[in-house]
Amino acid sequence: MNVRRSWGSNRYYYLYLLQIDAVLVGFDRNISYRRIIKVSTYLSNPNCLFIGTNRDLRLPLRSDGSTVPGTGVIIKTMEEASGRSAEIVGKPNRIMFDEMIAEHDGILADETLMVGDNLLTDIQFGKNCGISTLFVTSGLHKVSDIDKYNIYPDYIAENVNTLNS
């Protein structure tokens, strides 16, 4: 096993593998300074793939509008620490939709509806995939955010219960 050992400035002992082929960053409730150092060290190798799951900066917590930091905050931290940009494989990147179409016969873009509360990921995903979008205003973003982000959904509803009527 090819390993490197080093001492951090505050006497932490770091042990990390030198040959890491890819780093995948997703939601992590246990993010730590030590993990940021480890990831940025792996990503100092230009041949190491840097993959992120999504760029959701905030996640809705409750119906009162409270939010918590999302995966996008973690990815942005890792990008800043490493000086590299992650390849996003989840929303709003269309890779996920292309894989769905390839694996399941009968999925057609013109017969698909993307429903979401996040203009930057959910609704932009629909736009990137050429599918219709329904923006629900009961979550993260509100109608007033549409012009702010210049992302225009095909339909707008107060919540997903609208689909039942």
Side-chain angles (χ1 to χ4, degrees), residues 94 97 100-101 107-115 122-134 154-155:
R94 69 172 289 132
F97 188 67
M100 238 180 355
I101 288 173
I107 295 178
L108 304 171
D110 60 350
E111 295 179 1
T112 304
L113 177 68
M114 177 63 191
V115 179
D122 302 330
I123 304 307
Q124 187 61 54
F125 173 74
K127 297 298 180 186
N128 291 346
C129 297
I131 58 180
S132 296
T133 57
L134 171 64
D154 298 300
Y155 308 100

Side-chain angles (χ1 to χ4, degrees), residues 23-32 35-36 39 50-61 67-78 86-91 118 140:
V23 170
L24 172 64
V25 178
F27 189 73
D28 184 354
R29 287 188 172 104
N30 299 308
I31 189 72
S32 66
R35 190 164 294 164
I36 295 167
V39 168
F50 183 13
I51 303 165
T53 57
N54 65 71
R55 291 205 181 273
D56 287 320
L57 294 174
R58 294 177 296 141
L59 302 172
L61 187 59
T67 62
V68 294
T71 304
V73 172
I74 299 166
I75 292 172
K76 201 173 229 2
T77 299
M78 297 304 184
E87 165 108 17
I88 303 301
V89 295
K91 301 176 297 181
N118 187 319
L140 187 64

Side-chain angles (χ1 to χ4, degrees), residues 4-62:
R4 171 186 268 175
R5 297 178 177 137
S6 65
W7 288 95
S9 61
N10 55 357
R11 298 272 184 211
Y12 285 114
Y13 185 71
Y14 296 105
L15 176 70
Y16 53 90
L17 298 173
L18 293 177
Q19 280 299 5
I20 296 295
D21 294 323
V23 170
L24 172 64
V25 178
F27 189 73
D28 184 354
R29 287 188 172 104
N30 299 308
I31 189 72
S32 66
Y33 189 70
R34 176 177 258 173
R35 190 164 294 164
I36 295 167
I37 291 171
K38 189 182 283 189
V39 168
S40 63
T41 302
Y42 296 153
L43 292 174
S44 66
N45 173 359
N47 297 318
C48 182
L49 296 173
F50 183 13
I51 303 165
T53 57
N54 65 71
R55 291 205 181 273
D56 287 320
L57 294 174
R58 294 177 296 141
L59 302 172
L61 187 59
R62 295 185 295 266

Side-chain angles (χ1 to χ4, degrees), residues 148-159:
K148 175 182 175 183
Y149 295 116
N150 200 28
I151 299 172
Y152 299 94
D154 298 300
Y155 308 100
I156 300 172
E158 190 174 314
N159 57 53

